[in-house]
Amino acid sequence: MSKITFLGAGSTIFAKNVLGDCMLTPSIQGFEFALYDIDYKRLKESESMLQNLKESLGSDVKVKAYTDRKEALKGASYVVNAIQVGGYKPSTVIDFDIPKKYGLRQTIADTVGIGGIFRSLRTIPVMLDFAKDIEEVCPDALFLNYTNPMSTLTGAMLRYTNVKTVGLCHSVQVAVPELFEALNMSDDGVKWKISGINHMAWLLEVSKDGKDLYPEIKRRAREKQQEKHSDMVRFELMDKFGYYVTESSEHNAEYHPYFIKSQYPELIDRFNIPLDEYPRRCVEQIENWEKMRDEVVHSKNLSHERSHEYASYIIDAIETDKPFRLHGNVLNTGGLISNLPEKAVVEVPCLVDRNGVTPCHVGELPEQLAALNRTNINTQLMTIQAAMSGKREHIYQAAMLDPHTSSELSMDDIVSLCDDLIEAHGPWLPNFKSENMLV
């Protein structure tokens, strides 16, 4: 029996989306869905939900929850990773509250920035533990990573383990439809080309019937900027750098040094930037889950429609040898994007078939876009080095290289902030000892 192992299966709604998609995929019938999570209560809730969904969809997969991770992984063909180390409390709260004491504000803090750095440092050691088990009990498995920070985690797996890994996000799939909807344009028949890095990939070309649509897109975007809306940062970046970026404005506001600035507080209102958005979103999700838990977990009539998440399409393409195209996060080996570093993780078109996931060569990005990508790649590479070395000085350097952090704080304040975050996270960062501090 083929097997899909889901790590972090206590994420019940996401497990429903990914594994519900798989239940609707003919080539995946008969598979075992092995569920694993360190939270036993959430694990059993997801098992109950998936058993009910299996019955209502008429799927013949086997759903089984495991409390032993190695047993859950044993013999798996595919491993889906959707963990969050440290959770909302205490770790996410720490990632926001301590920087705020230094005057450093954030919106999402899950990719780069000071929050992204520390989320990476908490998560990479756990992922490397996963890799040891995978190398032992399912060495041929394909690891489908959905966990953020996407670039650092995927990079650590690809550079320091033998696990076949691809990072998956849905920002590319939704970028063009959301842009066209915002500008009251139809995306029917539109062709587009996107490449870059995760959460900062670029709409390089967009056309219909051979006509370049960028002039009309930019005209409408400039008009829309005259009134407040939820995507003002992305439209401003497109105006100044010439291209639309895939991830949302609340994300991109903290990837660059231009928008969240204590000396220019008026920019927050001007660009409608939602500070502390992720903690607020976490609270809302927790409250909503409490209201809907019984309905989702115990419903005998649970339904599902196939989502735009890539996992089921990847598995289907490998199982059937029917090619599927996606945008995956992979190492820039051989210069897939020739003006970005080879150690970087890039988000590029990939072809999936029985041979697995094969990235496509892109070539050069426009130089201004590659430059913006490199500012985030610098921090990503230094963060991976910090995780692997266990040296505080590498954490400091990662933070000093971050565009937003370095534009707001002095070097001394960055060192002090990192020390405070290490102390506050305590057991979540076991690799960083006091003797590794700069003196």
Side-chain angles (χ1 to χ4, degrees), residues 11 19 37 40 113 141 145 157 165 189 250 276 280 293 322 331 341 363 370 373 381 388 403 412 416 420 425 433-434:
S11 302
L19 296 180
D37 200 286
Y40 183 74
N145 180 50
M157 291 291 283
T165 302
E250 61 261 32
D276 299 327
R280 186 163 50 246
R293 172 187 273 116
K322 295 178 181 176
L331 273 184
N373 283 166
L381 296 182
M388 301 308 297
D412 287 342
S416 179
D420 287 352
H425 282 298
K433 310 294 184 182
S434 59

Side-chain angles (χ1 to χ4, degrees), residues 50-95:
L50 288 166
Q51 291 284 12
N52 289 331
L53 187 60
K54 167 190 167 179
E55 296 300 323
S56 66
L57 294 178
S59 174
D60 69 352
V61 300
K62 177 183 178 182
V63 177
K64 183 177 179 180
Y66 290 80
T67 56
D68 183 312
R69 187 177 73 207
K70 193 175 289 188
E71 283 300 312
L73 287 166
K74 189 174 181 179
S77 300
Y78 307 94
V79 179
V80 177
N81 182 53
I83 63 170
Q84 184 180 0
V85 178
Y88 167 60
K89 287 184 177 180
S91 292
T92 297
V93 172
I94 291 170
D95 285 344

Side-chain angles (χ1 to χ4, degrees), residues 6 15 143 377:
F6 198 112
F143 191 84
I377 289 169

Side-chain angles (χ1 to χ4, degrees), residues 312-374:
S312 67
Y313 297 93
I314 291 173
I315 297 169
D316 181 61
I318 292 172
E319 294 295 318
T320 64
D321 202 29
K322 295 178 181 176
F324 173 69
R325 179 180 176 271
L326 61 87
H327 280 72
N329 289 272
V330 296
L331 273 184
N332 194 32
T333 305
L336 298 170
I337 298 180
S338 54
N339 50 351
L340 294 182
E342 283 211 354
K343 289 182 179 179
V345 167
V346 292
E347 195 164 60
V348 296
C350 299
L351 180 68
V352 188
D353 57 18
R354 188 158 289 158
N355 295 312
V357 179
T358 304
C360 300
H361 182 265
V362 173
E364 283 197 358
L365 297 180
E367 197 54 52
Q368 72 274 23
L369 306 185
L372 288 172
N373 283 166
R374 288 192 291 261

